Amino acid sequence: GAVVSQHPSRVICKSGTSVKIECRSLDFQATTMFWYRQFPKQSLMLMATSNEGSKATYEQGVEKDKFLINHASLTLSTLTVTSAHPEDSSFYICSARLDLRAFFGQGTRLTVV
Amino acid sequence: GESVGLHLPTLSVQEGDNSIINCAYSNSASDYFIWYKQESGKGPQFIIDIRSNMDKRQGQRVTVLLNKTVKHLSLQIAATQPGDSAVYFCAENNGDSWGKLQFGAGTQVVVTP
């Protein structure tokens, strides 16, 4: 099956700093990747669609200057949470599309202190 | 389904019994559906998918049923095992060219011995 690797799995950072999360498709090329945010006991909320070689498309209400997305190659997309604050603490998950199917990374637990 | 999850409905199932998890969707334009399993602290794992031109699809111990008339999707798990305990999400694609998925609220399945 298709494998998507997300790194780091956990990160703690100080308020005001930036954090970069990587999402890699290990055994396939993904033109399109997606970034989600998930709060405890809740569903996945789509933040943005990341397309290789072009600007990401953000969902309504998601600050593009806050959550920087770069999809520099067909196997790597990165999400940078800039000037992180405690309210940015959450579980961030990426997925990569292969044909119709979307395969997910293992998620990143971000804690901002 | 709409991702309004303020809380997760729970399905308690005895080990060995069959489980049925239901999902209602609202977009009649949706033409592709996926079921995911998410264990605590991990990313969603693909279980099975179905296109709108089908009513039923079977996998290993799982069956997905699609009723387009009432916009209802279900996942049946045969002979439920303790390892099946997780949160299950249905997701739909409404023909979006990028393959964006809309996630349902999720159902917590608890398997009891």
Side-chain angles (χ1 to χ4, degrees):
Chain A
V3 179
V4 176
S5 177
Q6 193 172 334
H7 179 80
S9 57
R10 288 180 178 273
V11 58
I12 301 173
C13 71
K14 290 185 178 180
S15 191
T17 62
S18 296
V19 174
K20 180 184 282 188
I21 303 169
E22 293 188 347
C23 180
R24 295 180 184 271
S25 55
L26 297 186
D27 50 359
F28 66 102
Q29 292 183 329
T31 305
T32 304
M33 292 186 176
F34 303 93
W35 286 95
Y36 294 84
R37 184 173 182 176
Q38 187 177 33
F39 292 103
K41 303 293 184 184
Q42 293 192 24
S43 187
L44 282 75
M45 181 187 76
L46 180 65
M47 298 175 66
T49 302
S50 170
N51 289 294
E52 187 268 337
S54 63
K55 290 183 179 180
T57 302
Y58 291 82
E59 295 299 301
Q60 192 172 9
V62 178
E63 299 177 61
K64 62 180 181 180
D65 295 328
K66 173 76 171 176
F67 300 100
L68 300 179
I69 291 171
N70 184 278
H71 195 152
S73 76
L74 288 171
T75 59
L76 173 65
S77 176
T78 60
L79 168 68
T80 302
V81 182
T82 63
S83 187
H85 291 286
E87 57 264 30
D88 298 324
S89 298
S90 192
F91 193 53
Y92 293 88
I93 316 172
C94 71
S95 73
R97 182 182 166 189
L98 177 60
D99 299 324
L100 283 176
R101 297 180 178 180
F103 295 91
F104 286 81
Q106 60 267 52
T108 297
R109 172 72 60 194
L110 170 63
T111 303
V112 185
V113 298
Chain B
E2 296 181 358
S3 54
V4 295
L6 295 178
H7 65 277
L8 288 173
T10 300
L11 174 68
S12 292
V13 182
Q14 197 158 10
E15 184 177 355
D17 286 352
N18 297 334
S19 304
I20 299 177
I21 307 164
N22 296 303
C23 180
Y25 65 95
S26 56
N27 192 340
S28 56
S30 293
D31 57 4
Y32 177 64
F33 306 86
I34 310 179
W35 279 100
Y36 288 95
K37 171 186 180 183
Q38 186 179 28
E39 296 176 333
S40 181
K42 298 183 179 179
Q45 177 187 354
F46 174 90
I47 301 174
I48 192 168
D49 57 357
I50 188 168
R51 298 193 189 200
S52 60
N53 61 353
M54 302 174 68
D55 298 322
K56 179 180 179 179
R57 190 157 189 235
Q58 287 184 295
Q60 187 176 13
R61 275 202 311 121
V62 294
T63 301
V64 55
L65 298 178
L66 176 62
N67 185 329
K68 294 180 287 295
T69 303
V70 296
K71 300 191 189 72
H72 184 268
L73 192 69
S74 69
L75 177 70
Q76 300 178 4
I77 305 174
T80 311
Q81 302 168 0
D84 294 326
S85 293
V87 177
Y88 289 80
F89 292 99
C90 65
E92 59 183 297
N93 176 272
N94 62 2
D96 174 80
S97 59
W98 286 330
K100 284 197 292 187
L101 296 175
Q102 179 76 27
F103 279 79
T107 298
Q108 174 86 56
V109 173
V110 177
V111 182
T112 57

